[in-house]
Amino acid sequence: MSELIEMQNISLKAAEMVEEGRVHKALYSDPAIFEEELDKVFNNTWVYVGHESEVPDAGCYKTAWVGRQPVILSRDRKMNLHVLQNRCRHRGATVCEGRKGKTKSFTCPYHGWGYGLDGALRALPKPEEYEGVLDKNELPLERLRVETYQGLVFATYREDLESLYDFLGGARKWIDLFMKQGGGYPVKVLGEHRFNFPGNWKIQLENTTDAYHFPIIHKSFITSLDDATADIFDFLHGDGFVEDLGNGHSVMVMIPELVDLEDNLDQPIPPRFQKLADELRAEGRSEEEVQKLVRAAHGTGFNLNLFPNVSCSMAFLRVLRPVSVGETEIQHVALGGAGAPAPFNRKRMRLHEHFQGPMGFGTPDDGEAWERVHKGSQAGQDGWILVNRGMNNLHQSPDGNVAGAVCSETGMRGAYRQYKKVMAAGEDK
Amino acid sequence: MSTQTQILNDVTAFIWHESDLLDHKGYQDWLQLWNEDGLYIVPAEFNADGNYEDTLNLALDDADMRSMRVARLENGESVSANSTGNTIRMVSRVRVLEAGDDLVIARCAMTLNEMRHGKLVTYPADVEYRLQPTGDGYRLAGKVVRLMHADSFLRTVSFIF
């Protein structure tokens, strides 16, 4: 009996490892906590699975993940979106292995069960042996609940969860601003970079709301910029801020003058966009459109972190997937304008390649830091990770939220508060 | 020696020289191999079509970006570049696809090995070279590195393929 009590006492309760201003390092390395996270976080909240522009037409699909579970985002003939478990109802094989494409149906390669784009089980070979045994209507690919906001597609297993609209809450205003970077055209996915790092997913979650690291670890990127652009990225002493938007979401405004890309359209063309402006003028674009596209090409001046797995990060989407307690996969999704002038989308892709992805001038240094966090945090029997920066200097934002300095860890605290809430759910009081 | 064999020998010698420069971080000499308008390209999909400028790549470097990439690897400011040791690449299966007077196109197989924080990471790739013959050997007019990993997930890279 005493043994049992002792075991309970030392068992790691993740929710108790989050305090305001610090989190226990076991959250990065304990396999049992990781398993609990897959259930309590990823199976119990809205998880980002893709952007509508990735499945533009009827019959389009892309494969994605909800935590560790493979899913398919598809668009049926009536243009409805579906998120389906990628698991044949017969013996469990995946029914779709492509990353994206177009199809009329999903057919299991093992025994040929065929499913529609909405997941309905349409046909199976030699059905006579199932007469009176199974009803096809009862065996569709299992569907997740799907809702979208501004083209961002989220899915959840929970029918009783609040709407996506409510879950995003204070983040919606910032998503609206983020989506102005199509330059007057609908935002469209142009491609993606994929890489992984040997470390826990929350190290990445923290990073997109961490301005403090930028001038330090990304010095080599800043050196590669022209002086005017380097000045823009010298934002730690500026008027930026981090605002806790609730539900684990936060926004980190690094460059306040680039919050609304439809404002200030009368600025001179910066040197690094001169070639783009010339190309647009050569295409016969009006000066007004040139200004609008050039300003949109910058991307926004903020990172919007959406708990738990996506960040609208300046000019692109950063999507994380927890693979194991010590491995995380990341996609850097490049964005442009659907139908926008080719020089605009080209410039957006070149800027993305410059910083993002496994060969960019920024990401490899982030990756090095995250790997070291994961490795170094294993040292010692006990220890805490500090997320208390800027707790001495908080204020209330115009929207009534808690906000701190641009290089404060306000966003991390917001994410961990939500984490604590969902990890505590269902635990004995 | 037949003309075709001579060209294959010359091309292979150039590719091995280039490989040796990159493995031993002879980046300044590597920059000198290039034509001003040449592009160094690492597509984000193994089977990317040839329209690289209208596609997202892992890298699409013109002369300016090549110089900046080398500066980043050499100037000591990048923590990931500082912690990257030498790479070792094997190049084989060299085949000359076209041998014109102005342009030679060749394709080869490459496997690059990197020791990253004590773990061996291996990158198999299909590499295409565009080489411009001059009186003084070849100039590099284009290089496309198709990584098998491109269709999956890479580790971060602070060297040049």
Side-chain angles (χ1 to χ4, degrees):
Chain A
M1 189 63 186
S2 65
E3 218 169 69
L4 189 67
I5 292 166
E6 213 168 66
M7 284 302 286
Q8 260 184 357
N9 285 344
I10 63 162
S11 77
L12 303 173
K13 286 234 168 92
E16 291 165 14
M17 308 215 143
V18 178
E19 296 178 2
E20 188 70 11
R22 64 178 198 172
V23 298
H24 197 271
K25 70 189 187 71
L27 296 188
Y28 291 159
S29 58
D30 186 275
I33 291 176
F34 179 79
E35 292 299 321
E36 199 182 332
E37 288 168 351
L38 287 177
D39 182 38
K40 290 187 172 175
V41 179
F42 288 89
N43 293 347
N44 276 292
T45 191
W46 287 106
V47 173
Y48 175 80
V49 291
H51 188 267
E52 283 199 55
S53 66
E54 295 176 274
V55 285
D57 307 318
C60 286
Y61 72 85
K62 74 163 267 193
T63 48
W65 299 86
V66 172
R68 203 161 44 194
Q69 306 190 33
V71 298
I72 306 165
L73 168 62
S74 68
R75 200 184 277 279
D76 69 21
R77 274 182 228 158
K78 292 174 185 161
M79 297 298 280
N80 295 315
L81 290 172
H82 302 276
V83 174
L84 311 166
Q85 282 186 7
N86 192 357
R87 171 175 67 87
C88 180
R89 296 299 302 276
H90 175 214
R91 301 279 282 281
T94 57
V95 297
C96 181
E97 278 295 314
R99 202 160 58 232
K100 60 183 177 181
K102 222 166 180 178
T103 187
K104 287 183 176 142
S105 62
F106 302 109
T107 303
C108 179
Y110 200 3
H111 303 93
W113 286 31
Y115 300 89
L117 291 157
D118 60 355
L121 177 57
R122 292 264 174 76
L124 45 84
K126 295 189 71 64
E128 57 275 14
E129 294 295 324
Y130 282 126
E131 267 172 38
V133 176
L134 66 75
D135 177 358
K136 286 204 302 251
N137 293 324
E138 288 174 0
L139 292 171
L141 295 177
E142 289 192 63
R143 295 184 187 101
L144 281 74
R145 186 173 154 208
V146 188
E147 289 178 19
T148 67
Y149 186 74
Q150 286 270 28
L152 303 173
V153 185
F154 293 77
T156 182
Y157 283 100
R158 288 270 302 273
E159 288 299 329
D160 61 338
L161 204 64
E162 63 192 319
S163 68
L164 176 68
Y165 188 87
D166 288 344
F167 175 66
L168 293 173
R172 288 196 314 271
K173 156 187 157 179
W174 295 95
I175 296 175
D176 296 347
L177 288 164
F178 185 80
M179 293 302 169
K180 291 187 179 186
Q181 60 189 301
Y185 299 85
V187 164
K188 176 192 173 187
V189 169
L190 298 177
E192 66 181 27
H193 287 154
R194 293 174 292 274
F195 65 100
N196 58 21
F197 79 97
N200 188 265
W201 65 278
K202 295 185 293 301
I203 297 170
Q204 158 69 104
L205 178 72
E206 295 160 10
N207 174 262
T208 34
T209 178
D210 182 334
Y212 193 26
H213 79 293
F214 200 91
I216 314 292
I217 202 114
H218 297 312
K219 191 165 193 318
S220 73
F221 167 71
I222 295 166
T223 299
S224 77
L225 302 171
D226 63 83
D227 290 349
T229 312
D231 279 349
I232 292 175
F233 280 95
D234 182 21
F235 46 68
L236 287 200
H237 309 290
D239 297 330
F241 57 89
V242 182
E243 186 172 329
D244 182 345
L245 302 172
N247 290 347
H249 317 315
S250 63
V251 67
M252 173 175 75
V253 174
M254 293 161 281
I255 310 166
E257 56 272 30
L258 288 175
V259 162
D260 190 336
L261 295 174
E262 289 173 2
D263 276 354
N264 302 320
L265 291 175
D266 51 357
Q267 302 290 309
I269 304 286
R272 71 167 174 160
F273 292 108
Q274 194 58 54
K275 183 165 166 265
L276 171 61
D278 292 344
E279 287 173 336
L280 293 168
R281 287 180 188 125
E283 282 192 350
R285 306 277 166 186
S286 70
E287 203 52 33
E288 190 187 343
E289 194 176 4
V290 170
Q291 286 284 2
K292 189 169 182 176
L293 285 162
V294 165
R295 193 164 154 81
H298 281 89
T300 60
F302 59 84
N303 281 5
L304 173 66
N305 253 22
L306 301 176
F307 187 87
N309 76 322
V310 63
S311 172
C312 301
S313 181
M314 300 191 88
F316 71 106
L317 301 173
R318 192 183 291 203
V319 186
L320 69 85
R321 178 171 92 86
V323 177
S324 69
V325 68
E327 186 184 357
T328 304
E329 286 177 351
I330 296 166
Q331 291 160 285
H332 284 178
V333 181
L335 303 172
F344 171 78
N345 283 339
R346 269 186 220 127
K347 182 66 179 175
R348 297 270 309 182
M349 289 189 280
R350 298 295 89 79
L351 290 172
H352 190 88
E353 289 158 0
H354 189 162
F355 187 93
Q356 311 302 343
M359 292 188 71
F361 289 16
T363 302
D365 294 324
D366 276 330
E368 177 81 16
W370 305 336
E371 192 167 343
R372 290 194 190 194
V373 167
H374 194 79
K375 184 178 172 185
S377 64
Q378 318 264 339
Q381 300 298 310
D382 194 17
W384 294 86
I385 305 293
L386 299 182
V387 290
N388 56 357
R389 188 174 162 79
M391 278 173 73
N392 58 343
N393 185 26
L394 300 173
H395 63 273
Q396 197 179 56
S397 75
D399 289 341
N401 298 315
V402 171
V406 63
C407 56
S408 68
E409 288 159 352
T410 306
M412 293 177 217
R413 290 192 289 276
Y416 276 115
R417 203 173 302 119
Q418 177 75 3
Y419 174 87
K420 185 182 176 88
K421 183 177 142 191
V422 297
M423 292 297 280
E427 276 184 15
D428 296 334
K429 295 285 181 305
Chain B
M1 197 182 280
S2 74
T3 312
Q4 278 190 333
T5 310
Q6 183 62 49
I7 292 173
L8 180 63
N9 263 347
D10 291 347
V11 165
T12 305
F14 179 91
I15 293 173
W16 279 345
H17 176 66
E18 193 236 1
S19 299
D20 186 76
L21 286 178
L22 289 175
D23 275 346
H24 293 91
K25 302 190 180 186
Y27 294 133
Q28 293 301 329
D29 289 340
W30 181 73
L31 288 176
Q32 298 307 314
L33 299 178
W34 282 86
N35 271 352
E36 180 66 16
D37 59 357
L39 293 176
Y40 166 75
I41 299 166
V42 184
E45 312 259 344
F46 186 82
N47 288 317
D49 67 22
N51 184 10
Y52 302 112
E53 298 202 43
D54 287 312
T55 309
L56 183 74
N57 303 281
L58 296 170
L60 188 151
D61 290 2
D62 58 12
D64 285 348
M65 276 293 283
R66 279 196 299 279
S67 296
M68 290 194 289
R69 187 176 296 278
V70 164
R72 179 177 170 275
L73 297 179
E74 288 188 331
N75 67 12
E77 292 175 350
S78 160
V79 62
S80 61
N82 294 347
S83 72
T84 300
N86 279 6
T87 52
I88 294 178
R89 67 193 76 197
M90 311 288 193
V91 177
S92 188
R93 204 207 64 202
V94 181
R95 180 180 166 200
V96 175
L97 301 174
E98 276 181 51
D101 291 339
D102 300 325
L103 185 68
V104 173
I105 301 177
R107 185 169 67 202
C108 64
M110 177 186 78
T111 302
L112 182 146
N113 301 284
E114 182 202 16
M115 189 60 75
R116 186 163 168 76
H117 289 281
K119 288 193 178 143
L120 187 66
V121 185
T122 297
Y123 296 93
D126 209 65
V127 189
E128 184 183 295
Y129 286 85
R130 300 172 79 81
L131 304 171
Q132 185 192 359
T134 71
D136 192 25
Y138 291 123
R139 303 279 301 160
L140 195 43
K143 180 178 176 183
V144 180
V145 183
R146 294 174 183 274
L147 298 166
M148 289 187 87
H149 284 74
D151 285 345
S152 179
F153 287 76
L154 280 84
R155 296 296 305 281
T156 53
V157 171
S158 282
F159 52 83
I160 293 174
F161 283 111

